[in-house]
């Protein structure tokens, strides 16, 4: 593998995002993401038990996510938000993908682009007793999330387009998270401008129109950067 490609791949696994920041990037509650990457304790009639994490955290002291972890959280969000599925059921389905289909880190894996995905989804539907229509809806939600991930020639994630104001197949892709640009922080894709910089200038008194003219952007792109940052 060429050195440049290897370096790019390694940057995708660098521990770079604190949990709160990562949660804002992928639009989940911080407490929820923390349980996904660190596990959580829960009470039972037989005492306290612990769920294993669903995502293998890139850094643990302090807890930090990598770009690849962000992608995994983005895909996991699709499974969780479609039906509010219990974490236990999701983890069972992921374990099935690893033990029976030979897929490690399914939420990140290139196998999500192959027919193995259908085998996983069938098993996932069985585990949580989804109706036929429920399975169709779940597939649609997952597809919407997968379309927000840009992959390289090896089908590995290289860029994530988080949802901002709407979750639909044709939702704009103005905001991007790319480990190769802006230290992996959210940017306006067309110009590579940090969304945080946009908000800082708006807070300093500049208008949407002024910033759009300054950066050669559409006003809608600048506004989406503001919405994205303030909704985090």
């Amino acid at each position: 593998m060429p050195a440049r490609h290897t370096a790019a791949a390694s940057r995708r696994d660098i521990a770079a995002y604190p949990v709160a920041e990562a949660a804002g990037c992928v639009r989940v509650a911080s407490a929820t993401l923390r349980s996904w990457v660190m596990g959580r304790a829960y009470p039972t009639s037989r005492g306290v038990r612990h769920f294993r994490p669903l995502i293998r955290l890139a850094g643990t002291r302090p807890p930090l996510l990598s770009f690849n972890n962000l992608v995994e959280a983005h895909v996991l969000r699709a499974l969780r938000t479609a039906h509010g599925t219990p974490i236990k059921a999701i983890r069972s389905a992921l374990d099935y993908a690893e033990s029976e289909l030979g897929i490690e880190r399914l939420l990140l894996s290139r196998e999500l682009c192959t027919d193995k995905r259908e085998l996983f989804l069938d098993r996932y539907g069985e585990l949580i007793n989804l109706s036929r229509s429920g399975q169709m809806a779940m597939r649609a939600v997952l597809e919407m999330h997968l379309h927000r991930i840009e992959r390289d020639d090896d089908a590995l994630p290289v860029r994530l387009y988080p949802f901002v104001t709407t979750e639909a197949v044709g939702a704009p892709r103005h905001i991007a998270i790319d480990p190769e640009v802006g230290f992996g922080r959210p940017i306006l894709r067309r110009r590579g401008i940090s969304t945080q910089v946009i908000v800082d200038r708006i807070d300093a008194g500049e208008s949407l129109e002024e910033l759009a003219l300054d950066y050669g952007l559409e006003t809608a792109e600048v506004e989406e950067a503001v919405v994205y940052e303030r909704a985090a």
Side-chain angles (χ1 to χ4, degrees), residues 106-173:
L106 176 76
L107 300 174
L108 181 67
S109 175
R110 69 188 74 189
E111 277 82 356
L112 276 177
C113 302
T114 72
D115 57 0
K116 283 190 176 182
R117 174 180 58 194
E118 295 305 313
L119 296 175
F120 165 75
L121 291 177
D122 288 342
R123 179 57 174 163
Y124 176 84
E126 292 171 7
L127 283 167
I128 60 177
N129 298 316
L130 279 180
S131 64
R132 183 178 177 186
S133 61
Q135 290 196 37
M136 289 174 62
M138 182 265 291
R139 281 174 166 79
V141 171
L142 182 58
E143 282 292 337
M144 282 191 294
H145 280 69
L146 292 178
H147 280 214
R148 310 295 290 187
I149 302 169
E150 186 176 321
R151 297 176 181 266
D152 62 16
D153 292 339
D154 295 319
L156 298 175
V158 294
R159 181 173 281 194
L160 174 64
Y161 299 95
F163 288 114
V164 180
T165 57
T166 184
E167 295 187 17
V169 173
R173 294 187 176 194

Side-chain angles (χ1 to χ4, degrees), residues 8-179:
S10 66
R11 279 192 287 275
R12 299 170 202 164
D13 275 317
I14 291 176
Y17 305 88
V19 173
E21 180 183 353
C25 287
V26 296
R27 294 297 184 264
V28 298
S30 292
T32 298
L33 183 59
R34 184 175 295 276
S35 72
W36 292 355
V37 300
M38 300 178 68
R40 63 181 176 85
Y42 66 100
T44 72
S45 59
R46 298 182 180 180
V48 176
R49 293 191 177 184
H50 296 269
F51 276 130
R52 290 181 288 113
L54 295 163
I55 296 172
R56 297 169 188 170
L57 194 61
T60 57
R61 295 185 180 180
L64 293 172
L65 284 76
S66 66
F67 169 77
N68 279 339
N69 288 155
L70 289 186
V71 172
E72 290 174 299
H74 171 81
V75 176
L76 178 55
R77 178 180 181 271
L79 299 176
R80 280 289 286 161
T81 58
H83 298 282
T85 310
I87 285 180
K88 184 177 180 179
I90 290 180
R91 188 170 67 237
S92 295
L94 294 176
D95 288 346
Y96 168 82
E98 184 167 352
S99 62
E100 301 300 323
L101 302 179
I103 304 173
E104 293 186 8
R105 298 183 74 180
L106 176 76
L107 300 174
L108 181 67
S109 175
R110 69 188 74 189
E111 277 82 356
L112 276 177
C113 302
T114 72
D115 57 0
K116 283 190 176 182
R117 174 180 58 194
E118 295 305 313
L119 296 175
F120 165 75
L121 291 177
D122 288 342
R123 179 57 174 163
Y124 176 84
E126 292 171 7
L127 283 167
I128 60 177
N129 298 316
L130 279 180
S131 64
R132 183 178 177 186
S133 61
Q135 290 196 37
M136 289 174 62
M138 182 265 291
R139 281 174 166 79
V141 171
L142 182 58
E143 282 292 337
M144 282 191 294
H145 280 69
L146 292 178
H147 280 214
R148 310 295 290 187
I149 302 169
E150 186 176 321
R151 297 176 181 266
D152 62 16
D153 292 339
D154 295 319
L156 298 175
V158 294
R159 181 173 281 194
L160 174 64
Y161 299 95
F163 288 114
V164 180
T165 57
T166 184
E167 295 187 17
V169 173
R173 294 187 176 194
H174 297 320
I175 310 297
I177 299 173
D178 186 331

Side-chain angles (χ1 to χ4, degrees), residues 190-191 198 201 206-222:
R190 280 207 306 128
R191 298 296 185 189
I198 294 291
R201 292 186 62 175
E206 297 184 68
S207 69
L208 294 175
E209 293 75 16
E210 288 172 329
L211 292 183
L213 182 62
D214 195 11
Y215 290 122
L217 295 164
E218 298 294 330
T219 303
E221 294 174 277
V222 179

